[in-house]
Amino acid sequence: MSEVPYVIYEYPLQERFRTYLRLEQGFLQIKMPLDGSEQQALPFFNTLFGLLELFERFDLKTELNRDLDTQKQFVQQWSKHPQVDKEMVALLLHRLGEAQEQLGTAAQSVKALKEDAFLSSMRQRFSQPGYQALFDLPQLQTWLSQSPASQIEHQEHWRTQLADFQHALSQLLGLLRERAPFETVRAKKGFWQESADPLAILRMKITADDAVYPVVSGHRQRFTVRLMTLNSGQSNAYQHDLDIQLARCYEQ
């Protein structure tokens, strides 16, 4: 029997986790290999510069280190359970500790990326509203004339400068998600409301055939979910009862 297709939605219930999810998405987008075309290069650089802007507005090293430390303390509590897998606990603690160690030099790598002469020459243009055109970016046009292999080499170099932060973030978000099993709830007339212990991220699994999406509001200890339909480009409140699955990623 084939598995029913579903969509997983995520909603951050704290501002720093909102930034974490944005960074995670950006890290994934800059992994797409370039092919020498303007159509791929412009979104790549736009995402890269967006990541650098987030780094400037958010003390990622301090916040990540603190949250990784919180997860280490949680995992250490697991080790006291008589039936826990001691090897798995040791592996998790090693991964979290390794991620924290790598954060020690990560800020210097990002600083070098910000000071890259080629990137700096274009970044201001990308910050302006509207679509970027090559007549504004002759240096990019010259770069695009290089071989795809050369472009990919540059891309990998820039990505490497962010790799330690990406790894630490991956360890943190991965553990938060793994700790949060999905539970089925019934949204009465498309509505669900709940109070909870401090949450970092709310995850929702909804069957794709139901063709509804969630609109979430709330904060770390209280949230509401309103299901919406999307018909002919218009959104309307879903008015029927529907089973959805929730996973609550707790802060601690």
Side-chain angles (χ1 to χ4, degrees):
M1 185 175 178
S2 60
E3 184 178 351
V4 177
Y6 57 83
V7 182
I8 293 180
Y9 301 89
E10 293 189 325
Y11 187 86
L13 290 164
Q14 297 186 47
E15 189 59 36
R16 74 180 186 282
F17 287 97
R18 183 182 301 274
T19 300
Y20 288 162
L21 292 182
R22 284 175 173 163
L23 287 165
E24 180 185 48
Q25 184 65 33
F27 289 145
L28 289 175
Q29 289 176 358
I30 62 172
K31 286 179 65 177
M32 297 296 293
L34 300 176
D35 63 0
S37 70
E38 175 187 352
Q39 289 71 28
Q40 283 199 347
L42 288 174
F44 167 79
F45 286 111
N46 195 53
T47 301
L48 180 61
F49 295 144
L51 286 170
L52 292 180
E53 183 178 348
L54 283 176
F55 276 104
E56 291 176 350
R57 290 163 38 192
F58 185 71
D59 187 357
L60 186 60
K61 178 180 177 181
T62 299
E63 297 293 345
L64 265 180
N65 192 62
R66 183 180 65 185
D67 285 326
L68 287 169
D69 209 46
T70 298
Q71 296 308 306
K72 283 174 65 177
Q73 294 174 28
F74 184 87
V75 173
Q76 286 168 348
Q77 291 296 318
W78 280 354
S79 65
K80 299 177 182 178
H81 194 283
Q83 296 181 336
V84 75
D85 185 336
K86 301 289 186 181
E87 291 185 2
M88 179 57 68
V89 168
L91 178 61
L92 286 174
L93 289 174
H94 172 73
R95 288 177 177 174
L96 292 171
E98 182 181 54
Q100 284 184 300
E101 288 181 7
Q102 292 175 351
L103 283 176
T105 57
Q108 290 300 317
S109 297
V110 173
K111 183 175 183 292
L113 190 60
K114 292 177 182 178
E115 295 174 350
D116 183 285
F118 173 68
L119 296 178
S120 297
S121 69
M122 295 192 298
R123 188 177 174 188
Q124 185 176 1
R125 287 290 185 184
F126 274 82
S127 67
Q128 296 177 356
Y131 182 75
Q132 291 80 28
L134 287 184
F135 65 78
D136 283 325
L137 300 162
Q139 63 274 62
L140 176 58
Q141 195 165 359
T142 300
W143 186 80
L144 285 170
S145 69
Q146 299 177 9
S147 68
S150 176
Q151 294 176 34
I152 291 174
E153 183 179 351
H154 287 140
Q155 179 189 26
E156 286 303 306
H157 172 69
W158 295 324
R159 285 185 57 245
T160 299
Q161 306 287 69
L162 300 174
D164 289 339
F165 276 119
Q166 181 178 8
H167 176 70
L169 185 62
S170 174
Q171 294 300 310
L172 173 65
L173 294 178
L175 185 54
L176 284 174
R177 289 168 176 141
E178 289 170 9
R179 285 173 46 197
F182 281 98
E183 172 191 349
T184 300
V185 302
R186 171 151 290 195
K188 296 286 187 177
K189 294 185 177 181
F191 181 81
W192 180 263
Q193 181 173 280
E194 183 177 319
S195 297
D197 292 331
L199 291 175
I201 299 169
L202 178 67
R203 308 184 75 209
M204 293 151 284
K205 185 186 290 188
I206 300 177
T207 304
D209 290 343
D210 290 321
V212 300
Y213 65 92
V215 174
V216 181
S217 61
H219 54 79
R220 62 201 295 262
Q221 290 185 281
R222 186 178 180 85
F223 64 86
T224 62
V225 178
R226 166 64 70 185
L227 300 180
M228 306 291 291
T229 63
L230 187 62
N231 295 317
S232 301
Q234 294 186 347
S235 295
N236 299 289
Y238 186 73
Q239 299 294 339
H240 306 284
D241 294 355
L242 184 67
D243 287 342
I244 61 175
Q245 295 184 60
L246 299 182
R248 304 158 186 86
C249 301
Y250 291 101
E251 181 182 359
Q252 297 181 353

